[in-house]
Amino acid sequence: MHGTRLPSSVVPNPRSISIRIARDPNDLMLVTAIRSAVYLAEQDCPFEEEFDGNDMVAAHFIGYVGNEPAGCLRVRFFGDFAKVERLAVRHQYRRSRVSFKLVQASVDYVKRKGFRKIYGQAQDRLVDFWAHFGAKPLGHNRKITFSDFSYTEMLLEIEPGPDAITLDSDPYVIIRPEGDWDRPGVLDASAGRAVTSPLRDLALTDR
């Protein structure tokens, strides 16, 4: 589902699209740059409304066209649903399918995490875009307006994938890097070492 960043010496097809999860501060800088270009510069959204304090508690997807970061999307999690939001695509890439690929990657990711509902707030002009994935207006008839746009509540009902992660999943799968559950991680490799922690024989004390 998620592409990997190519070495700088590798020149990808300039029209190829790849999606991956943000993993470090540099990736979050890319997300910030893309959303600033789209929401702050194009839509004149105030900074404090766009960067709302939720970026450090979310999963972020970055979409590439060739080797260039072209778009991003954010996912947050609640009790029984996930919220897909902050889809942004740089203007020069809007004729590509990077927006569709970003949303599909996020839907696949949410299915893998075992959720059955995805909630979103779509700008009214983009309701048909979200309907492409099976999302429908929620039906509460609650009007939402923020950052100078009118929004429609959308709901996408899904079935968890057959490989959805549960409490019965391999415990090493559960601790692998987010979104990269099918590839052994560094902690899988560490399991081959003997237990040699210097703390193993220390008594616990309260002070």
Side-chain angles (χ1 to χ4, degrees):
M1 177 176 68
H2 311 302
T4 57
R5 182 180 295 167
L6 295 172
S8 58
S9 59
V10 176
V11 180
N13 181 331
R15 301 183 66 180
S16 65
I17 295 174
S18 59
I19 310 293
R20 66 181 184 83
I21 284 183
R23 299 213 178 275
D24 58 35
N26 287 331
D27 287 341
L28 289 180
M29 289 176 65
L30 286 178
V31 169
T32 301
I34 294 168
R35 281 168 43 192
S36 294
V38 173
Y39 291 117
L40 272 61
E42 291 188 46
Q43 298 188 13
D44 202 25
C45 179
F47 181 90
E48 65 180 359
E49 294 181 10
E50 174 55 32
F51 297 100
D52 57 353
N54 285 319
D55 286 322
M56 300 302 291
V57 292
H60 298 267
F61 291 79
I62 304 171
Y64 287 81
V65 175
N67 209 28
E68 187 70 14
C72 61
L73 176 149
R74 186 173 82 181
V75 183
R76 290 190 295 132
F77 301 96
F78 296 84
D80 64 348
F81 68 95
K83 185 175 187 296
V84 172
E85 57 194 10
R86 293 302 198 274
L87 173 62
V89 175
R90 293 166 58 191
H91 70 88
Q92 59 266 54
Y93 298 107
R94 289 181 193 151
R95 291 185 179 275
S96 75
R97 292 186 59 81
V98 68
S99 59
F100 289 89
K101 297 285 189 179
L102 279 163
V103 174
Q104 191 58 60
S106 72
V107 171
D108 292 343
Y109 168 79
V110 170
K111 286 181 177 180
R112 187 75 186 270
K113 291 180 80 74
F115 285 85
R116 295 180 179 273
K117 296 179 180 180
I118 297 176
Y119 170 76
Q121 297 169 346
Q123 289 186 11
D124 291 347
R125 63 188 178 88
L126 296 175
V127 166
D128 288 345
F129 170 82
W130 290 98
H132 173 83
F133 301 94
K136 299 177 181 179
L138 187 58
H140 287 169
N141 296 319
R142 299 181 295 199
K143 203 58 188 173
I144 305 173
T145 303
F146 57 84
S147 299
D148 306 314
F149 285 86
S150 177
Y151 291 81
T152 298
E153 292 181 283
M154 305 290 289
L155 181 67
L156 173 58
E157 297 190 83
I158 56 177
E159 285 296 324
D163 55 353
I165 296 171
T166 70
L167 287 175
D168 294 323
S169 298
D170 185 321
Y172 289 100
V173 169
I174 296 172
I175 58 177
R176 287 173 185 166
E178 190 73 9
D180 201 11
W181 298 294
D182 295 323
R183 183 171 58 180
V186 64
L187 296 179
D188 291 72
S190 78
R193 301 198 305 262
V195 177
T196 59
S197 169
L199 302 179
R200 67 188 186 280
D201 296 325
L202 294 181
L204 296 178
T205 59
D206 291 325
R207 292 184 182 268

